[in-house]
Structure formats: structure tokens, C-alpha cells
Amino acid sequence: MSLLNKLEKIVHYFQPPQKTARVAKERLQIIIAHERQRDNPDYLTLMQKELLEVISKYVQINKDDIKIELDRKDGCSILELNIVLPASGVVA
Amino acid sequence: MAEVIVVTSGKGGVGKTTTSASLAVGLSNRGYKTVVIDFDIGLRNLDLIMGCERRVVYDFINVIRGEANLNQALIRDKHAKELYILPASQTRDKDALTQEGVQKVLDELQKTFDYIVCDSPAGIEHGAQMAMYFADHAVVVTNPEVSSVRDSDRMLGLLSSKTKRAEERREPVKEHLLITRYSPKRVTRGDMMSLEDVNEILAIPLLGVIPESQAVLRASNAGDPVILDEESDAGQAYADAIERFLGEDKPFRFVSEKVHWIKRLFSIKEKEHA
Ligand SMILES: Nc1ncnc2c1ncn2[C@@H]1O[C@H](COP(=O)(O)OP(=O)(O)OP(=O)(O)O)[C@@H](O)[C@H]1O
Ligand SMILES: [Mg+2]
């Protein structure tokens, strides 16, 4: 064992132990946020379908005319909804 | 009309069966007619924890298949007055646990009981989903440890999508967090997540915190649910959790080292006075 190695061990001995609980919490927060997001798209497509149904009662549009996007910024989620309405095409 | 409580966790071995047994005994001791059902098909265990393993004749699957009626399969608990146990079968045929079958049994139990406690198997497969499907309440049992917390979060996802209440878009299943095997000493040392940490991540109401306790093993050795060990920390923590479940406001005990010591001093003094 080199002198440097020994020294490192001695320094290590006097350092406070790493707080592993904090590491655990941080890792969990990241992975769980990720997994919740992955589980969610389900409801986005469902909502898109229902919106399409409601809107088609009043105007004629295609599935592609509705765009839903979920964005996460600075700890808050933004749901962006874009609907392209045809110039004319109001259902009587 | 009975309320159905599922005790679930995702991860195995975190304390579901220990919790189901104590919850059932606690509710019945408070005067509610209670039945506890073992959904762990193939790995019957609740009977051992409740100390009735030698009285099992018929089981849950026998009733579903019509090979026995409910009264023949229900075992009267020896500890509590109005408590019955419906044991799991040891058959390896898990398909026997059908949704229609479970519904039929629950419908019949609904007529006579106040609470139906469902002890879920581990995992997120069929058995666990059957245990939660008809639930009104879910007690999510979590150890302060990464894989258990992550699995609990998965279960919360399933509770809000794969239950009868979710499918019918009724009021969602009421979720309760129960942190078990908690060690305040290790939390202070910084190598176990605190109840605040776990609660912040899962973000559902906290029903109770059960300390890591030697009383639990003693209880399962004897076949007497730990809540009956009224001197023990775990037994008292389970009793508190039940009071909270029934709507009472109870301070949390056994959650920090300091309080623990002071409480202990007090209880010694109280005993001297008595
Ligand atoms: N608070 C506690 N303190 C100490 N040991 C505990 C505690 N709670 C549970 N245990 C122990 O953990 C083990 C697993 O408990 P239990 O069988 O209740 O878990 P489970 O979630 O039902 O397991 P499974 O997923 O296999 O059904 C048992 O040996 C039990 O004695
Ligand atoms: Mg179990």
C-alpha cells in the first residue's frame, strides 16, 4: 500500500459518513417522475379522442387537426392544446 | 354494506400479511364485524400469522368453484369476537381466481360484514389485481427503501386505473400509506429515508408508521397478530393506525429516537404509579 493510499484511508476515516438516505430520495424522485410520465400518455390519447368527438359535433375536423402536448418546465406541467379549425365547415 | 380494504405493496415481504392480520383483529376488537381474505393463491400464509392453520378445511378457491359454501370455508378467529378468516388455496392453478368468482364471494360477504380485508400477494400480476379490483380503501405498505417505494408508486398507478371504481369513474379508491419496518435510529444516522421523505415522494395520506420490531417475529412464531401484544411498539403503532383509519386524530409514536426514549421513561413512571 502506497503512502498516498494510506493517507486517503486516514482522511476517509475522519470524514462524516455519506448520507445515503438523501441519495436514495433523489434517485427515487427522478425515476418516479419518469415512470409516472411514461404511464400517462394513455390519458392524453383518450382525451384527444373525446375532444375530437365533442368538437366534431360542431365543426368538421380530422384527428390530425388536434395536437396535444404535455411539457414540463421548472416543476410545473403545461398542457398545450392546438386545434386547427377549417375556414368554413360548421355543421348545421 | 361492507367496506373493502386491500392491503397491497407491489414488492414482496414488506409486511402485507403482518398488517392484514393486525388490521383485521384491530377492527373487530373495535366492534366491527370483519373478515380477512388471503389472496395469495398457492402461498397460503395468513392462516399461520393468525394461528388457525390447523383448522383450514376449505378455502377461497373451493368456494369460488362451488365445492364448498362460504360458511364451511370461513374460520372463526380465536382472538377476536367478530372476526373470520377465509384462507387461500394451495393450488398452483392461479386462473381459478376469476373476477366473477371474487365478486360472487365478496357480494355474499357484503351482506353480513362491516369490513372485508384483502391480503394481496406480491407483484402486479393477476392475484394482486384481483385483490385490489373491488377495493374501497387501499393500505399501501411501504418500507423506507428504494425498491419498495418505487413499487408502491406503481401500485398507486394501478389503483387509479385498474380498479372497479376507476373503471366506473366513481370516487377513487381511498389510499392510505403505511410505512413499516421503520428504524428511527437509522434515519437519524442518515442511512434510511425518513417518513417525511417517503411521504413526500408518494404523496398520499399517512395512516401509520410501524417500527422495525422484534415483537413481529415473536407474534408470527406464536400465531398471534402483533397488535395483540399491547406492550410492544409495533402492536401499539398498529393500534394507532387503526384509530386513524376510523377517523381519530392520533400523534405518531416510535418515529424518532428522542421521543422514543422520553416516552419510555414516562411509561416506566406511569407503571410505578399504577
Ligand atoms: N415491523 C416489522 N418489524 C420486523 N419485522 C417485520 C415487520 N413487519 C414485517 N416483518 C417481517 O417481514 C417478513 C415479511 O412479512 P410479511 O409476511 O407480513 O410480508 P408480506 O408483504 O405479506 O410478504 P409476501 O409479499 O411474501 O406476501 C416477516 O418475516 C415478518 O416477520
Ligand atoms: Mg403476504
Side-chain angles (χ1 to χ4, degrees):
Chain A
M1 199 187 264
S2 73
L3 190 66
L4 204 71
N5 246 333
K6 268 186 193 161
L7 220 87
E8 215 171 276
K9 278 221 159 152
I10 292 166
V11 169
H12 190 83
Y13 183 83
F14 286 104
Q15 272 172 348
Q18 235 242 33
K19 301 284 189 248
T20 56
R22 236 188 52 208
V23 180
K25 186 184 178 186
E26 284 163 10
R27 290 175 58 215
L28 271 171
Q29 280 171 324
I30 293 164
I31 187 67
I32 283 179
H34 182 79
E35 284 172 348
R36 281 180 190 163
Q37 212 166 1
R38 194 192 54 200
D39 289 345
N40 270 350
D42 244 306
Y43 93 87
L44 282 185
T45 39
L46 226 111
M47 190 159 75
Q48 182 158 359
K49 202 176 134 250
E50 283 191 32
L51 279 169
L52 189 70
E53 280 166 17
V54 173
I55 296 168
S56 340
K57 277 208 246 171
Y58 303 94
V59 280
Q60 280 171 345
I61 54 166
N62 291 320
K63 192 170 187 291
D64 299 338
D65 295 334
I66 297 185
K67 286 223 159 50
I68 300 181
E69 251 161 76
L70 189 64
D71 224 7
R72 261 165 234 257
K73 267 187 215 139
D74 310 325
C76 87
S77 307
I78 300 165
L79 186 70
E80 207 175 292
L81 186 63
N82 261 302
I83 306 171
V84 182
L85 295 178
S88 63
V90 179
V91 177
Chain B
M1 227 6 212
E3 297 209 48
V4 180
I5 308 170
V6 63
V7 179
T8 188
S9 70
K11 189 172 157 66
V14 296
K16 292 179 293 297
T17 301
T18 305
T19 298
S20 300
S22 281
L23 180 62
V25 169
L27 286 171
S28 81
N29 277 343
R30 290 285 304 255
Y32 296 99
K33 206 167 176 204
T34 304
V35 56
V36 55
I37 307 177
D38 190 347
F39 273 79
D40 207 343
I41 307 302
L43 290 172
R44 176 156 83 207
N45 267 331
L46 181 70
D47 56 340
L48 275 175
I49 302 302
M50 302 287 300
C52 66
E53 70 280 2
R54 288 173 55 191
R55 290 191 286 147
V56 176
V57 182
Y58 294 108
D59 59 57
F60 195 13
I61 298 298
N62 289 140
V63 179
I64 288 178
R65 287 191 178 140
E67 295 157 0
N69 64 40
L70 206 44
N71 285 333
Q72 291 173 297
L74 285 176
I75 302 170
R76 197 190 180 111
D77 182 68
K78 62 184 179 193
H79 312 95
K81 240 191 283 162
E82 297 276 16
L83 176 58
Y84 291 81
I85 300 135
L86 184 55
S89 114
Q90 281 184 311
T91 166
R92 281 193 274 155
D93 176 19
K94 294 202 173 163
D95 297 335
L97 193 67
T98 60
Q99 187 167 302
E100 298 72 42
V102 175
Q103 166 128 50
K104 189 188 81 176
V105 173
L106 291 186
D107 281 348
E108 206 174 329
L109 292 171
Q110 293 266 10
K111 292 181 208 151
T112 37
F113 288 94
D114 298 315
Y115 285 108
I116 302 172
V117 178
C118 304
D119 180 18
S120 174
I124 55 171
E125 298 306 318
H126 183 70
Q129 294 203 15
M130 283 303 102
M132 73 162 62
Y133 188 74
F134 297 97
D136 303 304
H137 295 266
V139 173
V140 179
V141 180
T142 308
N143 293 167
E145 171 269 327
V146 282
S147 49
S148 174
V149 175
R150 180 201 214 169
D151 287 2
S152 291
D153 193 70
R154 299 275 294 154
M155 295 324 278
L156 292 176
L158 291 178
L159 284 165
S160 61
S161 61
K162 297 271 158 64
T163 52
K164 192 157 187 273
R165 279 178 173 270
E167 284 175 7
E168 292 176 354
R169 300 187 172 212
R170 281 189 292 145
E171 200 184 313
V173 178
K174 211 159 179 206
E175 298 156 339
H176 311 263
L177 176 61
L178 188 76
I179 300 175
T180 62
R181 311 202 69 161
Y182 194 66
S183 169
K185 210 169 170 180
R186 303 193 67 183
V187 172
T188 315
R189 233 190 284 152
D191 59 10
M192 180 181 273
M193 281 184 285
S194 69
L195 65 101
E196 290 85 4
D197 290 341
V198 177
N199 207 13
E200 186 188 326
I201 293 167
L202 293 175
I204 60 171
L206 183 63
L207 179 69
V209 180
I210 313 299
E212 171 76 25
S213 168
Q214 307 203 340
V216 174
L217 183 59
R218 285 200 303 267
S220 67
N221 285 341
D224 301 322
V226 71
I227 193 170
L228 294 165
D229 184 353
E230 290 170 8
E231 301 281 295
S232 71
D233 48 0
Q236 292 175 29
Y238 271 117
D240 287 356
I242 282 151
E243 307 261 294
R244 283 186 211 105
F245 184 85
L246 295 171
E248 275 149 62
D249 199 16
K250 276 259 158 190
F252 287 88
R253 296 192 275 173
F254 318 112
V255 293
S256 75
E257 262 184 298
K258 261 193 213 136
V259 171
H260 189 82
W261 271 100
I262 293 166
K263 281 262 157 85
R264 219 196 256 173
L265 279 177
F266 270 121
S267 69
I268 287 169
K269 274 206 177 136
E270 269 163 22
K271 262 181 216 156
E272 283 168 359
H273 282 297

